[in-house]
Amino acid sequence: EGPYEERSALAVDLVKRWTVEQVDAEKKDGHVISTFALQVDDVHLGFLRAAIWPKGPDEVKTAILFTLHSDPALPLIHAGYPLINHARKMLTAKDIGVERLMGIASLPGLCQWVVENKAWERVDETTSPANGFHWVEQRSAVEAVATGRPQPGQKGLTNETYAAAQSAFEGIALEYAALEDVDAESTAMEACGGRLVGIHWMHDKSEEAIRASVGCTASYEFPTEMITHIDLEDQISHHISHPAEGSPGRW
């Protein structure tokens, strides 16, 4: 890694030489997982995976983009742009026929950001009760799960603590996902036309992800011929998750 200016300059220098190729595809539990690689002279600089699902009860063929990453020498937003756009073009072409295209972005650093900003203090008397929990309980729970420190009288973080934190924490996570960061999957998804439609609570259940972000991931929807306009207010308040979003193949 290095200063953004140097990493960005390297990306500009490589942009005329790099190509994106689909390097792998495998069937898995009723769907297909494809892997796309950004490469220069057979050297891989970045990867993106996609889960392609057959038409479900809604008769809509759906694909989910996930696990976007790049060589640390390049800003993810620069490496992600050709990867995401290539995948979008290929998946929505007539021979594959994806009609709804989603994206899942991890949110590393979310808990640290919540702690640094004491974001639990935003949970106050104006916060509506959620899951049967008063705002005071919600605030205490958000602080507990973000810091990893159990609430007074508890030996560890309990299911009740996570339940009390969920609603308020999801709102905070939406704000975090919207922050601009050249090395964030969320920023790369947005830069390629993705619209933030919601937060998946405890989606990634790995120990590292629970510690870093309570396992939260951000969900994005890309415009297609079927979905030509997405209203931001509708995205967040009326978003209905596709079954594929619950199992994109990474966790």
Side-chain angles (χ1 to χ4, degrees):
E1 295 188 26
Y4 170 73
E5 292 76 11
E6 294 180 6
R7 299 165 66 218
S8 179
L10 176 60
V12 171
D13 183 57
L14 294 174
V15 70
K16 292 183 178 180
R17 297 167 50 205
W18 66 29
T19 59
V20 177
E21 303 290 342
Q22 181 180 344
V23 295
D24 188 43
E26 62 174 323
K27 290 185 178 179
K28 182 178 180 181
D29 300 329
H31 59 281
V32 176
I33 300 288
S34 293
T35 302
F36 300 91
L38 177 70
Q39 52 196 27
V40 172
D41 300 329
D42 295 326
V43 175
H44 291 165
L45 302 176
F47 290 95
L48 172 68
R49 302 184 77 192
I52 306 151
W53 294 72
K55 290 185 178 182
D58 57 1
E59 290 297 311
V60 177
K61 190 172 185 179
T62 300
I64 311 287
L65 305 180
F66 64 101
T67 314
L68 172 67
H69 67 89
S70 69
D71 188 294
L74 299 172
L76 184 61
I77 191 172
H78 292 322
Y81 193 83
L83 280 164
I84 294 172
N85 283 333
H86 180 91
R88 286 181 63 187
K89 183 177 181 180
M90 178 175 173
L91 295 173
T92 57
K94 289 186 177 181
D95 56 336
I96 296 180
V98 166
E99 298 166 287
R100 185 185 186 200
L101 184 61
M102 308 294 296
I104 298 291
S106 60
L107 298 173
L110 171 58
C111 285
Q112 180 181 347
W113 181 81
V114 171
V115 171
E116 290 174 350
N117 290 275
K118 295 185 177 180
W120 53 81
E121 294 182 354
R122 303 173 194 175
V123 183
D124 56 23
E125 61 274 6
T126 65
T127 302
S128 300
N131 300 325
F133 295 99
H134 188 270
W135 72 264
V136 174
E137 296 173 294
Q138 294 181 59
R139 174 189 279 194
S140 177
V142 168
E143 181 177 1
V145 299
T147 60
R149 294 194 297 265
Q151 295 174 290
Q154 297 179 348
K155 294 183 179 180
L157 296 175
T158 66
N159 290 337
E160 185 177 7
T161 298
Y162 283 115
Q166 180 176 352
S167 179
F169 210 99
E170 287 176 343
I172 293 169
L174 279 171
E175 181 180 350
Y176 181 76
L179 296 175
E180 185 174 321
D181 181 345
V182 297
D183 290 311
E185 285 182 296
S186 51
T187 298
M189 295 272 182
E190 182 178 358
C192 291
R195 296 291 183 268
L196 182 60
V197 293
I199 296 294
H200 296 288
W201 175 249
M202 298 185 75
H203 191 190
D204 185 342
K205 298 186 183 301
S206 67
E207 183 177 339
E208 179 184 0
I210 293 294
R211 184 171 55 251
S213 63
V214 201
C216 290
T217 61
S219 180
Y220 289 81
E221 187 154 17
F222 294 89
T224 62
E225 285 190 11
M226 188 186 78
I227 302 172
T228 56
H229 174 72
I230 307 168
D231 183 82
L232 181 59
E233 197 168 305
D234 288 342
Q235 291 166 29
I236 295 174
S237 60
H238 304 298
H239 172 58
I240 299 174
S241 298
H242 184 276
E245 293 181 75
S247 52
R250 186 169 78 180
W251 29 81

